[in-house]
Amino acid sequence: MNVTGTESSVPNKPQGIPRPLLEVNDLRTYFAIKKGLLKTTVGYVKAVDGVSFTVGRGETLGLVGESGCGKTTVGRTLLRLIEPAGGTVISGQVQFAGRDVFALSGAELRRQRRHMQIIFQDPVGSLNPRMTVGNIVGEPILVHGLATKGEVRGRVAQLLDRVGLPAAAAYRYPHEFSGGQRQRIGIARALALQPDFIVCDEPVSALDVSIQAQILNLLQDLQNELHLSYLFIAHNLAVVEHFSDRVAVMYLGKLVEMAPSKTLYKDPKHPYTMALLSAVPKPEPRKAEQRIVLAGEVPSPSNPPSGCPFHPRCPLAIAKCKTQMPPTEVKGGNPEHIAACWVTK
């Protein structure tokens, strides 16, 4: 199957600006659809279809969109948690600190994994119920040879303290903790290898609202202290606005808009982003604001529409939108604000 990429949608980086920590260029992840006794491939689910973005050192890039738009697949693909096997097709380029992640294998890949970690959405399913917290957090330290067995206990105690848990928690099992405490354990595990970059895959969506703020504050404090970079995947647009430096919006496997957080929330340029933001609850419910209600359902990623993937639901669609995919270009004269739309300027 040919999934040759198109021109990158990431604007050219001006001279003199340091190279980003992470550069994703035209990333595509297609899952094979197989039918019949012989499991013949009859098509592909285009979960990620030509996504490009960068993440700078110490920066948080928020990634938002409806369920099934490909956000989690982006994070897992660039971490090499999804591999091109069993009919899965992956193409594009992921550069981390100047190294081609997709070109690494064996010992080189293992060393690279130290610098790129993930916090999973489900704080229950992501922790092994048969292992103590001390073993869960300490295992990666031993596997990567960062400490001896005698030193691991002290390292684990430091990590637990850093995420707000007592050292005695190391001797207990995951089922003995609340959801928020389990997510703190997941964060401690992600920090165990002293990474530079962490994919936060909806880290607060499964938690009570009162606990979400605590976890977000913890992540913010850790970023400031350790100079971490985050790819923050979330549904809650209000959270993303305050937590992210820049925000990227995905629809049907494609990145349709990206801008600094304040710019995107104040002046969105893609009709899909406008619709998402109109649905965010406002602190002043009596203030009359028109909500954009999208008609129809999200098309299937195995059979996306021609032209702009959003045109069947777009209230601003014109004839051109139905036949030609709009280029990702600068909007509003701001070189940091890009969107793929034929209508908006």
Side-chain angles (χ1 to χ4, degrees), residues 152-162 165-167 170:
V152 166
R153 182 180 299 179
R155 293 281 291 272
V156 169
Q158 291 175 358
L159 288 165
L160 292 177
D161 178 68
R162 180 169 280 178
L165 292 173

Side-chain angles (χ1 to χ4, degrees), residues 261-299:
S261 179
K262 292 182 179 179
T263 301
L264 185 134
Y265 280 77
K266 183 179 179 180
D267 187 24
K269 295 298 184 181
H270 196 281
Y272 178 62
T273 309
M274 298 175 191
L276 287 180
L277 295 181
S278 75
V280 177
K282 301 297 189 295
E284 300 179 48
R286 294 183 180 179
K287 186 177 180 180
E289 289 193 21
Q290 184 177 3
R291 178 176 176 179
I292 302 173
V293 180
L294 299 177
E297 299 292 332
V298 180

Side-chain angles (χ1 to χ4, degrees), residues 7-336:
E7 186 176 352
S8 169
S9 60
V10 178
N12 292 329
K13 180 166 59 65
Q15 296 296 321
I17 295 180
R19 187 172 187 173
L21 178 66
L22 177 73
E23 298 176 89
V24 178
N25 185 29
D26 199 35
L27 182 66
R28 297 169 189 261
T29 305
Y30 295 175
F31 298 108
I33 302 172
K34 298 187 178 184
K35 290 185 178 180
L37 185 62
L38 300 178
K39 299 296 182 181
T40 304
T41 298
V42 296
Y44 288 89
V45 174
K46 298 178 180 179
V48 179
D49 194 14
V51 169
S52 300
F53 60 85
T54 63
V55 180
R57 295 184 182 274
E59 181 187 29
T60 298
L61 175 67
L63 190 60
V64 302
E66 293 173 284
S67 294
C69 70
K71 306 185 300 296
T72 293
T73 305
V74 168
R76 290 176 179 247
T77 301
L78 63 88
L79 292 179
R80 296 279 299 269
L81 296 180
I82 298 175
E83 294 282 34
T88 299
V89 179
I90 297 175
S91 69
Q93 189 177 55
V94 176
Q95 293 273 342
F96 184 85
R99 302 192 71 188
D100 185 351
V101 175
F102 289 166
L104 302 178
S105 61
E108 285 188 328
L109 179 59
R110 174 180 287 190
R111 286 192 293 270
Q112 183 64 45
R113 290 194 187 281
R114 279 191 53 192
H115 306 286
M116 306 171 71
Q117 291 293 301
I118 184 171
I119 300 169
F120 294 98
Q121 176 181 1
D122 183 5
V124 179
S126 63
L127 301 177
N128 190 333
R130 298 186 178 185
M131 296 176 66
T132 64
V133 170
N135 288 334
I136 290 172
V137 177
E139 183 180 48
I141 299 175
L142 286 173
V143 169
H144 286 267
L146 300 184
T148 64
K149 287 186 178 181
E151 297 170 335
V152 166
R153 182 180 299 179
R155 293 281 291 272
V156 169
Q158 291 175 358
L159 288 165
L160 292 177
D161 178 68
R162 180 169 280 178
V163 300
L165 292 173
Y171 303 100
R172 297 162 62 187
Y173 290 85
H175 73 270
E176 300 179 65
F177 296 89
S178 66
Q181 289 173 324
R182 288 171 182 159
Q183 196 60 291
R184 289 176 186 270
I185 296 168
I187 295 172
R189 178 177 58 186
L191 293 175
L193 299 180
Q194 301 173 336
D196 302 304
F197 170 75
I198 298 178
V199 173
C200 302
D201 186 10
E202 303 194 43
V204 297
S205 64
L207 306 177
D208 293 339
V209 175
S210 60
I211 305 300
Q212 289 183 9
Q214 297 178 21
I215 298 300
L216 291 171
N217 287 336
L218 171 61
L219 290 173
Q220 188 71 68
D221 291 342
L222 290 171
Q223 182 177 46
N224 294 335
E225 179 184 347
L226 304 175
H227 203 56
L228 297 169
S229 299
Y230 292 143
L231 176 63
F232 188 79
I233 300 169
H235 280 101
N236 191 327
L237 295 174
V239 168
V240 173
E241 177 182 9
H242 298 288
F243 192 78
S244 304
D245 299 300
R246 290 184 298 133
V247 178
V249 182
M250 284 189 67
Y251 183 80
L252 207 65
K254 294 184 179 293
L255 195 152
V256 297
E257 185 167 7
M258 182 165 58
S261 179
K262 292 182 179 179
T263 301
L264 185 134
Y265 280 77
K266 183 179 179 180
D267 187 24
K269 295 298 184 181
H270 196 281
Y272 178 62
T273 309
M274 298 175 191
L276 287 180
L277 295 181
S278 75
V280 177
K282 301 297 189 295
E284 300 179 48
R286 294 183 180 179
K287 186 177 180 180
E289 289 193 21
Q290 184 177 3
R291 178 176 176 179
I292 302 173
V293 180
L294 299 177
E297 299 292 332
V298 180
S300 170
S302 63
N303 186 27
S306 60
C308 175
F310 186 58
H311 87 258
R313 307 174 69 196
C314 181
L316 304 180
I318 57 178
K320 192 176 185 180
C321 302
K322 300 178 181 179
T323 58
Q324 300 181 42
M325 178 65 192
T328 303
E329 56 189 5
V330 172
K331 298 290 184 179
N334 183 351
E336 292 187 311

